[in-house]
């Protein structure tokens, strides 16, 4: 088996601290209670009141006309690309963008677009770099139709685009005639970290989505927002791809619960990420990137261990982290990890490298 996920290895000890990803959270008792009490209807028939409530709240939060509920963030990105672009078009994004590295080649396979990946530190780029990527409108050049940014930039280390840089880049894209799309998988982490309201961060994006399965703790669901006619077209793709749902209010209720209970507390995750980074920086051989939100990237090269070897070693002691490159490891804080969990993980990581 190459592509199917493997089942947990029964010979491994139980996980004590899960820093693998903020996607690993389990729905809380309060969230499950909200799911159980949800009013539901046939979502693809327009009859699910809880999904409507979620979409209305999300459109208002992100300052857009309309919204559509989808099962995952990947489907939000793919449907946005299908809706904005035509086969043969070119998207401009950062070279580490999730749509390039982590969606199975979806933009090429589904829409038939190519993506120009721009360089820049921490998953971001500046207006000059963007302008250098603009192509002349020539018969033999791909038409550039979409500019995509990630807030926060995942493989950029959970970095937050400063609002001035974000606005400048998106406005330069628009001036060039590009549509603009924000992958807001962890948008609320950026909002909480920067103290900038969500609708200000999304002001120059035509479309934007938010994931409920990252720091917000829901079991599934993401909401794509944009102009009413864009969302109307997105519904065609939702139907074609099998993303039209039935009594989806059960899931939308979890997302509404997350909006009410799990947004402000993201600050705790950011505090725990700082605590983790401070501890890691004191471990001989680990080079830590200063976290801006809940993702802590660090380099294992000086320990002589690859990131995978280091991750395997700490997993033997019940600590789970992920790896993002030969020597690049990632630890992610979230609502199922507290400060004591961070301290325990640090103790295990220190011991794993001692002796
Ligand atoms: C997780 C993630 C996605 C995909 O979201 P899923 O809900 O896992 O499909 C897209 N973009 C970024 C930046 C992500 O971190």
């Amino acid at each position: 088996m190459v592509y199917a996920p493997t089942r947990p290895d029964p010979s491994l000890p139980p996980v004590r601290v899960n820093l693998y990803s903020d996607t690993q959270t389990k729905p809380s008792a309060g969230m499950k209670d909200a799911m159980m009490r949800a009013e539901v209807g046939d979502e693809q028939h327009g009859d699910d009141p809880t999904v409507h409530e979620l979409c209305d709240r999300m459109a208002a939060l992100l300052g857009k006309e309309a919204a559509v509920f989808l099962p995952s963030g990947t489907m939000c990105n793919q449907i946005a690309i299908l809706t904005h672009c035509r086969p043969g078009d070119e998207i401009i994004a950062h070279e580490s963008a999730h749509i390039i590295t982590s969606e199975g080649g979806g933009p090429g396979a589904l829409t038939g677009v190519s993506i120009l990946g721009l360089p820049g530190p921490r998953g971001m780029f500046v207006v000059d770099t963007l302008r250098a990527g603009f192509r002349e409108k020539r018969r033999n050049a791909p038409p550039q139709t979409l500019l995509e940014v990630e807030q926060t930039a995942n493989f950029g280390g959970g970095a937050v685009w400063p609002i001035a840089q974000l606005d400048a880049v998106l406005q330069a894209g628009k001036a060039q005639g590009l549509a603009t799309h924000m992958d807001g998988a962890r948008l609320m982490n950026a909002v909480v970290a920067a103290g900038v309201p969500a609708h200000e961060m999304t002001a120059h994006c035509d479309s934007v989505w938010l994931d409920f399965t990252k720091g917000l703790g829901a079991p599934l669901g993401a909401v794509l927002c944009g102009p009413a006619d864009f969302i109307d077209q997105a519904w065609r793709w939702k139907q074609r791809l099998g993303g039209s749902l039935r009594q989806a209010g059960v899931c939308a209720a979890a997302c509404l619960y997350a909006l009410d209970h799990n947004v402000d507390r993201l600050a705790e995750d950011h505090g725990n990420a700082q605590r983790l980074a401070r501890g890691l920086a004191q471990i001989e051989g680990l080079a830590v990137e200063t976290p801006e939100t809940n993702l802590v990237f660090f380099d294992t090269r000086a320990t002589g261990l690859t990131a995978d070897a280091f991750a395997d070693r700490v997993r033997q002691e019940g600590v789970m982290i992920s790896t993002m490159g030969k020597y690049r490891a990632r630890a992610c804080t979230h609502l199922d990890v507290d400060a004591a969990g961070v301290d325990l993980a640090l103790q295990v990581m220190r011991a794993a490298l001692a002796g």
Side-chain angles (χ1 to χ4, degrees):
M1 298 287 271
V2 176
Y3 298 118
T6 50
R7 312 247 170 130
D9 177 349
S11 71
L12 286 173
V15 177
R16 291 191 288 167
V17 188
N18 190 339
L19 299 170
Y20 184 86
S21 175
D22 45 8
T23 57
Q24 302 253 325
T25 56
K26 307 271 168 76
S28 63
M31 182 176 279
K32 284 195 265 195
D33 193 48
M35 295 172 79
M36 237 153 57
R37 288 184 287 98
E39 251 188 86
V40 297
D42 186 347
E43 189 249 5
Q44 65 172 259
H45 200 250
D47 292 338
D48 193 298
T50 310
V51 171
H52 288 318
E53 185 185 340
L54 176 64
C55 288
D56 291 350
R57 269 187 73 175
M58 286 304 297
L61 181 70
L62 303 188
K64 303 298 167 205
E65 272 175 9
V68 58
F69 184 59
L70 292 167
S72 71
T74 299
M75 201 183 276
C76 289
N77 273 338
Q78 295 307 320
I79 287 183
I81 292 167
L82 284 158
T83 306
H84 284 299
C85 302
R86 309 285 308 154
D89 287 358
E90 185 176 62
I91 297 173
I92 305 179
H94 190 270
E95 62 192 2
S96 71
H98 198 276
I99 56 167
I100 297 179
T101 61
S102 308
E103 300 190 11
L110 301 175
T111 309
V113 292
S114 54
I115 308 177
L116 177 65
L118 300 181
R122 293 186 74 71
M124 298 177 276
F125 46 87
V126 293
V127 170
D128 284 348
T129 309
L130 173 63
R131 290 217 173 100
F134 288 160
R135 296 182 196 277
E136 271 178 59
K137 289 188 176 45
R138 283 185 282 110
R139 188 174 64 249
N140 55 1
Q144 295 179 312
T145 49
L146 183 64
L147 170 62
E148 193 252 16
V149 294
E150 250 173 60
Q151 182 73 309
T152 64
N154 184 346
F155 302 117
V160 180
W161 284 78
I163 188 76
Q165 184 181 350
L166 180 66
D167 285 351
V169 159
L170 292 171
Q171 283 177 303
K174 291 197 129 186
Q176 180 73 2
L178 303 177
T180 52
H181 173 68
M182 179 183 284
D183 173 339
R186 294 187 179 81
L187 176 61
M188 298 319 288
N189 290 88
V191 165
V192 168
V196 174
H199 68 269
E200 285 183 25
M201 284 194 177
T202 61
H204 301 290
C205 302
D206 296 312
S207 54
V208 52
W209 61 273
L210 175 69
D211 217 332
F212 286 93
T213 62
K214 299 284 165 84
L216 299 184
L220 63 85
V223 174
L224 174 65
C225 301
D229 58 342
F230 169 87
I231 295 300
D232 192 50
Q233 291 302 312
W235 262 97
R236 289 281 283 161
W237 288 111
K238 173 173 156 93
Q239 190 67 38
R240 284 177 181 146
L241 296 176
S244 286
L245 305 169
R246 301 299 185 188
Q247 287 69 35
V250 174
C251 303
C255 301
L256 285 164
Y257 181 91
L259 284 178
D260 289 333
H261 297 91
N262 293 347
V263 174
D264 293 341
R265 64 150 308 289
L266 290 170
E268 289 172 40
D269 299 344
H270 300 169
N272 284 331
Q274 293 292 339
R275 185 185 186 92
L276 180 64
R278 279 195 304 272
L280 288 171
Q282 283 163 15
I283 300 177
E284 175 94 29
L286 298 181
V288 189
E289 299 172 32
T290 304
E292 295 181 37
T293 53
N294 68 325
L295 306 179
V296 184
F297 283 73
F298 58 98
D299 188 288
T300 62
R301 189 183 302 262
T303 66
L305 293 178
T306 62
D308 277 336
F310 181 69
D312 286 348
R313 210 179 266 195
V314 299
R315 178 63 189 84
Q316 289 297 335
E317 303 302 324
V319 172
M320 240 169 107
I321 59 171
S322 59
T323 60
M324 298 282 161
K326 190 161 184 199
Y327 295 104
R328 197 167 185 227
R330 190 188 81 173
C332 177
T333 58
H334 51 74
L335 78 178
D336 287 350
V337 179
D338 58 13
V342 166
D343 291 346
L344 176 58
L346 284 168
Q347 197 184 312
V348 165
M349 292 197 244
R350 210 174 296 119
L353 291 173

Tab-separated table of all heavy atoms in Angstrom, residues 16-19 21-28 215 217 265 269 272 332-339 341:
chain	number	residue	atom	x	y	z
A	16	ARG	N	0.612	10.330	24.154
A	16	ARG	CA	0.405	11.132	25.370
A	16	ARG	C	0.240	12.610	25.017
A	16	ARG	O	-0.546	13.320	25.617
A	16	ARG	CB	1.576	10.955	26.339
A	16	ARG	CG	1.619	9.556	26.958
A	16	ARG	CD	2.618	9.504	28.103
A	16	ARG	NE	3.998	9.558	27.614
A	16	ARG	CZ	5.065	9.778	28.391
A	16	ARG	NH1	4.901	9.991	29.683
A	16	ARG	NH2	6.281	9.799	27.875
A	17	VAL	N	1.045	13.072	24.065
A	17	VAL	CA	0.935	14.471	23.634
A	17	VAL	C	0.919	14.480	22.113
A	17	VAL	O	1.877	14.049	21.473
A	17	VAL	CB	2.111	15.340	24.129
A	17	VAL	CG1	1.829	16.809	23.827
A	17	VAL	CG2	2.369	15.133	25.610
A	18	ASN	N	-0.186	14.948	21.543
A	18	ASN	CA	-0.329	14.919	20.093
A	18	ASN	C	-0.068	16.311	19.518
A	18	ASN	O	-0.944	17.173	19.517
A	18	ASN	CB	-1.725	14.423	19.718
A	18	ASN	CG	-1.832	14.135	18.224
A	18	ASN	OD1	-1.044	14.654	17.431
A	18	ASN	ND2	-2.792	13.313	17.852
A	19	LEU	N	1.157	16.507	19.015
A	19	LEU	CA	1.517	17.783	18.394
A	19	LEU	C	1.611	17.612	16.877
A	19	LEU	O	2.206	18.428	16.182
A	19	LEU	CB	2.864	18.271	18.952
A	19	LEU	CG	2.918	18.523	20.464
A	19	LEU	CD1	4.351	18.771	20.920
A	19	LEU	CD2	2.033	19.711	20.843
A	21	SER	N	-0.789	17.610	14.514
A	21	SER	CA	-1.524	18.640	13.770
A	21	SER	C	-2.724	19.090	14.577
A	21	SER	O	-3.250	18.324	15.397
A	21	SER	CB	-2.008	18.081	12.424
A	21	SER	OG	-2.817	19.043	11.758
A	22	ASP	N	-3.175	20.312	14.303
A	22	ASP	CA	-4.417	20.778	14.931
A	22	ASP	C	-5.638	20.115	14.300
A	22	ASP	O	-6.770	20.343	14.728
A	22	ASP	CB	-4.517	22.315	14.880
A	22	ASP	CG	-4.158	22.890	13.527
A	22	ASP	OD1	-3.971	22.115	12.563
A	22	ASP	OD2	-4.061	24.125	13.417
A	23	THR	N	-5.417	19.273	13.299
A	23	THR	CA	-6.529	18.502	12.723
A	23	THR	C	-6.863	17.275	13.564
A	23	THR	O	-7.829	16.581	13.273
A	23	THR	CB	-6.174	17.988	11.316
A	23	THR	OG1	-4.972	17.208	11.422
A	23	THR	CG2	-5.962	19.128	10.353
A	24	GLN	N	-6.046	17.000	14.588
A	24	GLN	CA	-6.209	15.742	15.329
A	24	GLN	C	-7.129	15.886	16.534
A	24	GLN	O	-7.309	14.933	17.287
A	24	GLN	CB	-4.832	15.252	15.781
A	24	GLN	CG	-3.874	15.034	14.617
A	24	GLN	CD	-3.613	13.581	14.322
A	24	GLN	OE1	-3.552	12.750	15.217
A	24	GLN	NE2	-3.472	13.251	13.057
A	25	THR	N	-7.697	17.072	16.719
A	25	THR	CA	-8.568	17.289	17.879
A	25	THR	C	-9.831	16.440	17.770
A	25	THR	O	-10.318	16.153	16.674
A	25	THR	CB	-8.984	18.763	17.970
A	25	THR	OG1	-9.601	19.123	16.733
A	25	THR	CG2	-7.786	19.661	18.189
A	26	LYS	N	-10.358	16.071	18.932
A	26	LYS	CA	-11.626	15.328	18.982
A	26	LYS	C	-12.724	16.301	19.396
A	26	LYS	O	-12.490	17.168	20.244
A	26	LYS	CB	-11.527	14.197	20.013
A	26	LYS	CG	-10.314	13.270	19.823
A	26	LYS	CD	-10.646	12.114	18.901
A	26	LYS	CE	-9.410	11.339	18.458
A	26	LYS	NZ	-8.845	10.455	19.459
A	27	PRO	N	-13.926	16.150	18.833
A	27	PRO	CA	-15.011	17.055	19.235
A	27	PRO	C	-15.250	16.966	20.753
A	27	PRO	O	-15.285	15.879	21.302
A	27	PRO	CB	-16.224	16.569	18.437
A	27	PRO	CG	-15.808	15.353	17.685
A	27	PRO	CD	-14.329	15.192	17.792
A	28	SER	N	-15.396	18.134	21.371
A	28	SER	CA	-15.597	18.175	22.830
A	28	SER	C	-17.026	17.758	23.164
A	28	SER	O	-17.893	17.667	22.284
A	28	SER	CB	-15.359	19.599	23.321
A	28	SER	OG	-16.326	20.459	22.733
A	215	GLY	N	-7.523	24.606	13.999
A	215	GLY	CA	-7.574	24.950	15.420
A	215	GLY	C	-8.978	25.047	15.993
A	215	GLY	O	-9.140	25.153	17.205
A	217	GLY	N	-11.468	22.852	15.969
A	217	GLY	CA	-11.871	21.664	16.702
A	217	GLY	C	-13.099	20.927	16.209
A	217	GLY	O	-13.609	20.044	16.907
A	265	ARG	N	-9.970	31.451	22.127
A	265	ARG	CA	-9.018	30.616	22.844
A	265	ARG	C	-7.801	30.230	21.984
A	265	ARG	O	-6.837	29.650	22.500
A	265	ARG	CB	-9.697	29.373	23.444
A	265	ARG	CG	-10.277	28.417	22.426
A	265	ARG	CD	-10.261	26.983	22.916
A	265	ARG	NE	-8.950	26.561	23.375
A	265	ARG	CZ	-7.913	26.343	22.566
A	265	ARG	NH1	-8.031	26.494	21.260
A	265	ARG	NH2	-6.754	25.966	23.063
A	269	ASP	N	-3.353	28.634	22.315
A	269	ASP	CA	-2.508	27.783	21.459
A	269	ASP	C	-1.245	28.534	21.052
A	269	ASP	O	-0.159	27.953	20.986
A	269	ASP	CB	-3.259	27.355	20.195
A	269	ASP	CG	-4.509	26.545	20.508
A	269	ASP	OD1	-4.628	26.063	21.651
A	269	ASP	OD2	-5.359	26.399	19.608
A	272	ASN	N	1.053	28.588	23.965
A	272	ASN	CA	1.694	27.277	24.125
A	272	ASN	C	2.745	27.041	23.048
A	272	ASN	O	3.759	26.379	23.297
A	272	ASN	CB	0.645	26.167	24.103
A	272	ASN	CG	-0.125	26.084	25.417
A	272	ASN	OD1	0.410	26.433	26.474
A	272	ASN	ND2	-1.374	25.648	25.353
A	332	CYS	N	2.611	21.222	16.450
A	332	CYS	CA	1.453	22.097	16.304
A	332	CYS	C	0.654	22.069	17.604
A	332	CYS	O	0.323	20.996	18.102
A	332	CYS	CB	0.635	21.530	15.145
A	332	CYS	SG	-0.873	22.384	14.834
A	333	THR	N	0.355	23.250	18.147
A	333	THR	CA	-0.461	23.292	19.363
A	333	THR	C	-1.939	23.495	18.993
A	333	THR	O	-2.253	24.028	17.927
A	333	THR	CB	0.002	24.417	20.312
A	333	THR	OG1	-0.077	25.671	19.608
A	333	THR	CG2	1.426	24.186	20.784
A	334	HIS	N	-2.807	23.041	19.876
A	334	HIS	CA	-4.250	23.094	19.603
A	334	HIS	C	-5.021	22.854	20.892
A	334	HIS	O	-4.405	22.662	21.958
A	334	HIS	CB	-4.632	22.066	18.535
A	334	HIS	CG	-4.123	20.686	18.837
A	334	HIS	ND1	-4.685	19.899	19.803
A	334	HIS	CD2	-3.067	19.987	18.342
A	334	HIS	CE1	-4.018	18.752	19.871
A	334	HIS	NE2	-3.017	18.782	19.003
A	335	LEU	N	-6.334	22.809	20.789
A	335	LEU	CA	-7.162	22.819	22.007
A	335	LEU	C	-7.102	21.537	22.823
A	335	LEU	O	-7.562	21.528	23.967
A	335	LEU	CB	-8.612	23.233	21.697
A	335	LEU	CG	-9.611	22.274	21.092
A	335	LEU	CD1	-10.956	22.969	20.956
A	335	LEU	CD2	-9.167	21.767	19.748
A	336	ASP	N	-6.488	20.481	22.279
A	336	ASP	CA	-6.327	19.268	23.088
A	336	ASP	C	-4.932	19.166	23.705
A	336	ASP	O	-4.569	18.103	24.234
A	336	ASP	CB	-6.619	18.018	22.231
A	336	ASP	CG	-8.109	17.858	21.936
A	336	ASP	OD1	-8.927	18.590	22.537
A	336	ASP	OD2	-8.460	17.004	21.089
A	337	VAL	N	-4.137	20.242	23.643
A	337	VAL	CA	-2.814	20.243	24.294
A	337	VAL	C	-2.712	21.458	25.208
A	337	VAL	O	-2.942	22.586	24.757
A	337	VAL	CB	-1.664	20.323	23.250
A	337	VAL	CG1	-0.321	20.360	23.954
A	337	VAL	CG2	-1.728	19.165	22.273
A	338	ASP	N	-2.391	21.232	26.480
A	338	ASP	CA	-2.224	22.364	27.404
A	338	ASP	C	-0.738	22.563	27.728
A	338	ASP	O	0.127	21.848	27.199
A	338	ASP	CB	-3.074	22.161	28.664
A	338	ASP	CG	-2.723	20.867	29.394
A	338	ASP	OD1	-1.668	20.262	29.064
A	338	ASP	OD2	-3.486	20.450	30.286
A	339	ALA	N	-0.470	23.531	28.596
A	339	ALA	CA	0.933	23.862	28.915
A	339	ALA	C	1.649	22.656	29.518
A	339	ALA	O	2.832	22.420	29.228
A	339	ALA	CB	0.978	25.051	29.873
A	341	GLY	N	1.078	19.575	28.815
A	341	GLY	CA	1.377	18.688	27.691
A	341	GLY	C	2.613	19.156	26.940
A	341	GLY	O	3.466	18.343	26.535
